[in-house]
Amino acid sequence: MPGFGWSANPAGQFTYVTPNTLSFLGVTGEDLNTSDADDEFGWRQLIHPDDYERVAARWRHCLRTGDHYDTEHRLRRADGSYRWFRNSGRPFRDDQGTITEWFGTTIDIDDQVRLCHDIAEREARIRRLVDSDIIGIVIWDLDGTLIDANDAFLRMVQYDREDVKAGLRWFDMTPPEWQEVHGREEAEELAATGKMEPREKAFFRKDGSRVPVLIGGACFDGQSRQGVAYILDLTERKRAEEALHDQKRELSQLVDMIPSYLWRVTPEGVPEFFNRRLIDFLGLDVAGVNKPDTSRLTAFIEAVIHPDDAAGVAGAFERSLASGDILSMKWRMRRADGVYRWMAASAEPMRASDGTIVQWYVASIDIEGEMRAQEVLRERERMLHQLVETLPAMIDCSTPDGEPIYRSQQMSEYLGYDFEHLDSSAKSRLNGTLEASVHPDDLAGVKANYGHSLTTGALYARRHRLKRSNGEYRWVETRAAPMRDARGAIVQWNVICLDIDPEVRAQQELQLAQERLARASQAASLAELSASIAHEVNQPLAAIVANSHACHRWLSAQPANIERAKITAERIIRNANAAADIVSRTRALFSQSTETRTIHSLDGVIAETRELLADEAARRHVCVEIDIANNIPTLAFDRVQIQQVLINLMRNGMEAMDVIATHRVLRLGVRRVDDVVKTWISDSGPGVELPNRMFEPFYTTKPHGMGIGLAICRSIVEAHGGRLWVENNEPNGATFIFSLPVGEAPVTRQASAAVDR
């Protein structure tokens, strides 16, 4: 400020004085409020003895009435000399009109006073001022008439020279309140001293608006009724003061409205300002943190910072104050009700143009909710981690492209290596894991299935063998599901792996036992069937033999007994027909009835058959690939019989590939060709040596086969109006093909009854 500034409370005690004022006077702020008598002001020692009573009386009057405080007096400088000053004070009122504080300025006017004293001796200088546009000059008469005025003054008040010639008077331009309060004082001062000390007032312009001015005057030498006055336009200064006041008010409101706790610290570490939010939060004022024999910063920290954090906060402040580095940390701060809340705080220095730290600003934000949420998240994360680690399963998490990013402890121990081991190789984590741990016979299928899931987002589920850390391969079941964000994009794959080796081995042993039991049952059934056929056929055959001998005898007799021979021949024919009937009934055991045919979808039967044979395919390490065209119509067939055909043909294909080590793929396809639907099952085994004999009853290429399975399959297909045959593949393998006619069959009585129900 180009002057001295101050503020005082309603009792007149100074609350703030600018540092340049104290330096000029050579005193401290406490000295200004300290006096030897109750009715005296502490600043009496600084006022010229001739001016004190007048100034003190005016100050008491203003404190009592709230009037503006304006005085001129001499102040003693630190070196003991006196200078004239213009002292102006204005009260600040709250919304109820109560004065809460006084704000004022003290402007050095010693030169102006000396100028007034020297006006008579410096006529040339005054003339230059009169002719200038900087200051208004007026020659007046004691009765208030303006004798003359320079252009600067006329422009200031918007009058012209004709108005001056017409008898323009001071009172025409002076507001009434000024006339009543100060008019007599000015007249008395001029009459007594011949001069009027500079003072601020306002003039009416010609249009009725007001212009603030600084005016001073003096009588001409040897005259007591005429003199000269100088007037300085204060419009810009008043605007600047008002703008500064508004800016200060807005800044104060902004500081108090910011949702943060702000405080200011001197370069020495003394807290000197708290914003309203912080004061309300702490329940104390700046003065409430003082402690004897303790720095103000230390006292503040001890008063409001949690005891467990206080030492760290104090040390951080000491380091920042010493180094000038920015401070950023978290601490717990005590609220007015005694509750400690977490704060995120930062302190930054404000520096002068030369880099010197002028003061520190500290901002604290309440993060109690965030800290509690983080604690809840940490607890939840700990529980989830324990859950994952204690589940009887191995867990793995991967990126959207399948790269592992997390692996449970159980899985790491099971495999015997961690991510660091994988990252040290040139391979990706995914390929490194699969190639190091998946059984070579299962690797291609695992990669194909997992690649399909990564590409399409479909769920992954597969059984395969996985190598443990001790080198043992064990059967596991792996399932993977994608985790998606709100837009449906895959952000992570979650994988679970279960060791099912005991279950798989038990299933394999059970399957083998079932196969052995089935073979034994087939053998026993065949033996029983053979005995039954032999028993049934034996009697008509024996009769045929006996009648044949009898016919031979009748024909060998002399003469031959033709009649008896004919009768015997008829008996032979009857016995042969009986044997044929027995054979027909036996064949009926292998032919299938068509009375239960209904409309079905062939792809549904194929899917069900694949599920039934899934375990056997896994046990035999066979990959089943199915290719069904989109234009396959529904067909009329016996679901159980056609499923029996599919099971028999697919199982034969799997058994045929037992002799090869790798690339065991069983392919099943369905296509419509004209009026029939063709279904083929193709394997990569050794092929068929005698295709034309494969469907003969009791013909088999298996060591323990009965040779009736394919015969029954052909019977079933032909009973449905279709055909079954076999072709060899190139370079190896065989393809069994059967066709079924397109078209609905009549619904049977049983089916109709079911529909009716």
Side-chain angles (χ1 to χ4, degrees):
M1 293 176 57
F4 302 147
W6 53 268
S7 64
N9 59 27
Q13 295 291 312
F14 286 100
T15 58
Y16 175 75
V17 179
T18 56
N20 59 344
T21 304
L22 300 176
S23 176
F24 177 86
L25 299 175
V27 296
T28 65
E30 288 77 8
D31 295 336
L32 297 177
N33 293 325
T34 303
S35 65
D36 298 330
D38 295 337
D39 59 342
E40 297 293 341
F41 294 103
W43 37 267
R44 174 169 186 161
Q45 56 181 324
L46 303 174
I47 303 294
H48 193 282
D50 296 338
D51 300 335
Y52 173 75
E53 294 299 335
R54 172 176 56 83
V55 173
R58 181 60 186 168
W59 181 229
R60 292 189 183 97
H61 170 79
C62 293
L63 293 176
R64 184 175 63 256
T65 64
D67 292 342
H68 291 182
Y69 172 68
D70 293 291
T71 62
E72 286 126 9
H73 53 77
R74 286 161 287 185
L75 281 176
R76 189 184 66 195
R77 199 160 54 181
D79 60 2
S81 62
Y82 285 91
R83 291 184 65 84
W84 281 94
F85 284 84
R86 167 69 176 172
N87 205 350
S88 299
R90 299 292 182 266
F92 182 83
R93 302 176 185 269
D94 59 18
D95 295 338
Q96 289 74 35
T98 303
I99 295 176
T100 59
E101 196 161 11
W102 285 82
F103 293 95
T105 58
T106 303
I107 302 175
D108 188 326
I109 61 171
D110 191 82
D111 293 338
Q112 298 175 16
V113 172
R114 295 182 185 278
L115 177 62
C116 291
H117 291 167
D118 297 336
I119 284 179
E121 294 81 14
R122 302 180 184 181
E123 182 178 355
R125 186 177 299 174
I126 293 176
R127 177 53 55 191
R128 288 195 297 272
L129 288 175
V130 170
D131 294 337
S132 72
D133 289 335
I134 300 174
I135 192 169
I137 304 296
V138 176
I139 299 175
W140 49 265
D141 189 271
L142 190 60
D143 63 2
T145 303
L146 274 63
I147 300 174
D148 197 4
N150 69 346
D151 292 340
F153 177 76
L154 294 176
R155 282 193 297 271
M156 191 185 307
V157 296
Q158 297 178 350
Y159 284 93
D160 54 33
R161 296 197 177 277
E162 296 301 322
D163 296 318
V164 176
K165 292 178 181 179
L168 182 64
R169 304 174 73 248
W170 284 120
F171 290 157
D172 296 334
M173 297 181 292
T174 306
E177 66 272 16
W178 187 270
Q179 297 177 23
E180 296 173 0
V181 176
H182 301 287
R184 184 179 298 109
E185 292 181 1
E186 292 178 357
E188 292 176 353
E189 185 178 358
L190 284 170
T193 64
K195 63 180 180 180
M196 182 180 68
E197 296 292 343
R199 66 196 63 195
E200 291 184 12
K201 63 186 299 184
F203 282 152
F204 278 131
R205 290 192 176 101
K206 193 172 183 178
D207 62 2
S209 61
R210 295 191 180 193
V211 55
V213 299
L214 177 69
I215 182 171
C219 295
F220 291 131
D221 286 345
Q223 298 187 28
S224 60
R225 296 197 56 83
Q226 292 186 351
V228 64
Y230 63 91
I231 301 98
L232 181 65
D233 190 339
L234 299 181
T235 301
E236 293 301 323
R237 196 186 85 176
K238 290 297 183 181
R239 288 176 180 172
E241 290 177 353
E242 184 177 354
L244 181 61
H245 175 74
D246 291 342
Q247 185 178 7
K248 179 180 179 182
R249 178 177 54 81
E250 291 176 2
L251 180 60
S252 178
Q253 289 179 347
L254 177 63
V255 169
D256 289 335
M257 290 175 61
I258 289 176
S260 301
Y261 306 111
L262 305 177
W263 42 300
R264 187 174 65 235
V265 182
T266 66
E268 295 76 26
V270 179
E272 60 178 6
F273 168 79
F274 296 164
N275 73 338
R276 175 53 55 187
R277 283 183 179 270
L278 182 56
I279 292 174
D280 294 341
F281 180 88
L282 300 176
L284 51 84
D285 203 344
V286 180
V289 298
N290 291 328
K291 274 184 155 185
D293 302 327
T294 305
S295 70
R296 201 169 189 182
L297 179 61
T298 303
F300 173 76
I301 292 174
E302 292 178 356
V304 302
I305 304 299
H306 194 283
D308 295 343
D309 305 334
V313 173
F317 265 103
E318 290 177 1
R319 290 188 294 272
S320 293
L321 291 173
S323 64
D325 295 335
I326 294 175
L327 179 147
S328 180
M329 64 185 305
K330 297 177 181 178
W331 61 57
R332 286 164 289 181
M333 194 156 65
R334 181 182 57 79
R335 201 165 56 186
D337 58 3
V339 176
Y340 285 95
R341 295 182 65 84
W342 278 101
M343 300 285 169
S346 62
E348 295 190 20
M350 185 178 76
R351 299 178 183 271
S353 58
D354 61 355
T356 305
I357 295 177
V358 178
Q359 54 194 1
W360 287 80
Y361 287 97
V362 187
S364 302
I365 300 175
D366 191 318
I367 58 169
E368 180 69 20
E370 177 185 344
M371 295 296 290
R372 291 185 181 275
Q374 289 179 359
E375 182 62 28
V376 171
L377 289 176
R378 282 193 294 270
E379 179 63 20
R380 185 177 300 173
E381 181 181 3
R382 185 185 63 81
M383 292 182 62
L384 289 176
H385 184 267
Q386 288 184 341
L387 176 64
V388 168
E389 295 300 336
T390 55
L391 280 175
M394 295 174 285
I395 308 296
D396 181 270
C397 297
S398 304
T399 61
D401 58 358
E403 287 297 294
I405 55 176
Y406 169 77
R407 184 171 289 166
S408 67
Q409 187 65 29
Q410 292 187 49
M411 192 165 197
S412 297
E413 293 176 354
Y414 190 94
L415 297 177
Y417 55 85
D418 51 21
F419 290 148
E420 286 73 12
H421 173 76
L422 295 174
D423 295 339
S424 62
S425 65
K427 300 178 182 178
S428 66
R429 287 183 176 181
L430 176 60
N431 289 331
T433 300
L434 296 180
E435 294 176 6
S437 303
V438 178
H439 194 283
D441 295 346
D442 304 336
L443 182 59
V446 170
K447 284 187 174 182
N449 286 15
Y450 199 31
H452 173 74
S453 295
L454 293 175
T455 303
T456 64
L459 299 177
Y460 172 85
R462 185 179 178 88
R463 291 184 174 187
H464 59 84
R465 287 162 292 182
L466 195 66
K467 184 167 69 174
R468 290 190 63 172
S469 57
N470 59 5
E472 174 191 4
Y473 282 99
R474 294 179 64 84
W475 281 96
V476 296
E477 180 171 348
T478 303
R479 294 181 179 270
M483 185 169 68
R484 303 177 184 270
D485 60 15
R487 299 184 302 247
I490 297 176
V491 296
Q492 181 174 297
W493 283 88
N494 297 323
V495 185
I496 185 171
C497 185
L498 299 172
D499 189 322
I500 59 170
D501 194 75
E503 176 186 347
V504 172
R505 295 188 185 279
Q507 288 179 350
Q508 290 176 346
E509 292 176 0
L510 178 61
Q511 184 70 25
L512 292 174
Q514 289 176 343
E515 290 179 359
R516 288 194 295 268
L517 180 60
R519 293 193 187 97
S521 176
Q522 290 173 353
S525 298
L526 182 60
E528 183 177 351
L529 179 63
S530 300
S532 175
I533 294 173
H535 176 73
E536 293 291 332
V537 177
N538 185 56
Q539 290 183 355
L541 290 180
I544 290 172
V545 172
N547 287 323
S548 297
H549 285 299
C551 183
H552 183 270
R553 287 196 304 270
W554 294 123
L555 292 175
S556 301
Q558 293 297 331
N561 192 338
I562 300 302
E563 291 298 326
R564 298 296 297 181
K566 288 173 61 178
I567 294 172
T568 305
E570 290 174 356
R571 290 176 178 174
I572 292 173
I573 292 172
R574 184 176 66 249
N575 292 330
N577 287 333
D581 289 341
I582 292 173
V583 173
S584 296
R585 290 197 302 272
T586 303
R587 179 177 175 80
L589 294 174
F590 300 98
S591 64
Q592 306 298 319
S593 173
T594 62
E595 294 181 354
T596 59
R597 294 181 195 169
T598 54
I599 302 300
H600 297 285
S601 172
L602 189 58
D603 57 350
V605 178
I606 291 173
E608 184 177 346
T609 304
R610 182 182 183 179
E611 291 296 326
L612 292 173
L613 295 176
D615 289 341
E616 183 171 353
R619 179 174 59 81
R620 295 180 182 274
H621 314 305
V622 174
C623 178
V624 179
E625 296 180 355
I626 296 179
D627 181 15
I628 302 176
N630 294 327
N631 62 341
I632 304 303
T634 56
L635 303 174
F637 56 83
D638 187 313
R639 184 182 185 89
V640 175
Q641 292 177 359
I642 295 302
Q643 190 174 83
Q644 182 179 353
V645 173
L646 290 169
I647 290 174
N648 202 319
L649 296 180
M650 291 175 70
R651 180 177 283 129
N652 286 346
M654 293 180 189
E655 292 174 351
M657 291 186 290
D658 283 344
V659 297
I660 64 176
T662 58
H663 198 61
R664 300 177 183 179
V665 180
L666 184 69
R667 296 179 174 85
L668 188 152
V670 181
R671 294 288 186 275
R672 177 173 180 170
V673 180
D674 297 327
D675 293 330
V676 297
V677 173
K678 288 185 178 181
T679 303
W680 71 86
I681 294 94
S682 178
D683 61 62
S684 55
V688 177
E689 185 176 357
L690 299 172
N692 295 329
R693 297 195 59 192
M694 289 300 296
F695 303 99
E696 293 179 2
F698 305 108
Y699 174 81
T700 181
T701 60
K702 303 176 184 178
H704 306 290
M706 294 175 56
I708 62 174
L710 290 177
I712 294 174
C713 289
R714 172 172 277 183
S715 274
I716 292 173
V717 172
E718 291 177 351
H720 281 75
R723 191 166 67 91
L724 172 63
W725 70 97
V726 63
E727 297 174 355
N728 279 317
N729 302 333
E730 290 295 335
N732 60 328
T735 300
F736 286 80
I737 309 167
F738 69 91
S739 64
L740 295 175
V742 176
E744 296 184 4
V747 180
T748 64
R749 180 178 304 171
Q750 294 85 340
S752 298
V755 172
D756 292 341
R757 288 193 296 270

